[in-house]
């Protein structure tokens, strides 16, 4: 499915890009890795959702507790 019609990027392209990275990439870094940049911005939510899905799957595989960095920081601050 095409997630970015401006750059003709599919969900498969985004998934391949995020799986090659050891960290949780930003949307801008996903675009940079694919050699393009966001134009109209309508695809950002879809790309964030794909990155979140990939991060959650990686966390499940590593046995993480599912908390994001902000949630862990809130817990430490309390």
């Amino acid at each position: 499915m095409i997630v970015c019609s401006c750059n003709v990027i599919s969900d498969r392209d985004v998934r391949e890009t995020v799986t090659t990275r050891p960290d949780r990439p930003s949307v801008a870094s996903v675009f940079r890795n694919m050699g393009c940049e966001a134009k109209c911005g309508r695809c950002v939510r879809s790309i964030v959702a794909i990155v979140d899905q990939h991060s959650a799957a990686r966390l499940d595989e590593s046995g993480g507790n599912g908390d994001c960095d902000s949630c862990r920081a809130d817990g430490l601050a309390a």
Side-chain angles (χ1 to χ4, degrees), residues 3-76:
V3 293
C4 176
S5 55
C6 295
N7 292 297
V8 191
I9 296 173
S10 70
D11 60 323
R12 180 181 294 156
D13 297 330
V14 175
R15 287 187 201 332
E16 288 174 3
T17 298
V18 297
T19 56
T20 62
R21 298 188 47 124
D23 60 345
R24 184 190 185 287
S26 66
V27 173
S29 66
V30 169
F31 276 108
R32 278 192 303 272
N33 285 345
M34 290 189 277
C36 56
E37 60 184 36
K39 294 181 182 175
C40 75
R42 284 183 285 181
C43 59
V44 171
R45 287 185 182 173
S46 298
I47 293 173
V48 167
I50 294 168
V51 170
D52 287 346
Q53 288 170 355
H54 178 70
S55 295
R58 184 179 310 164
L59 203 58
D60 288 344
E61 290 172 3
S62 69
N65 63 1
D67 286 346
C68 65
D69 290 339
S70 296
C71 298
R72 285 191 293 275
D74 289 345
L76 292 173

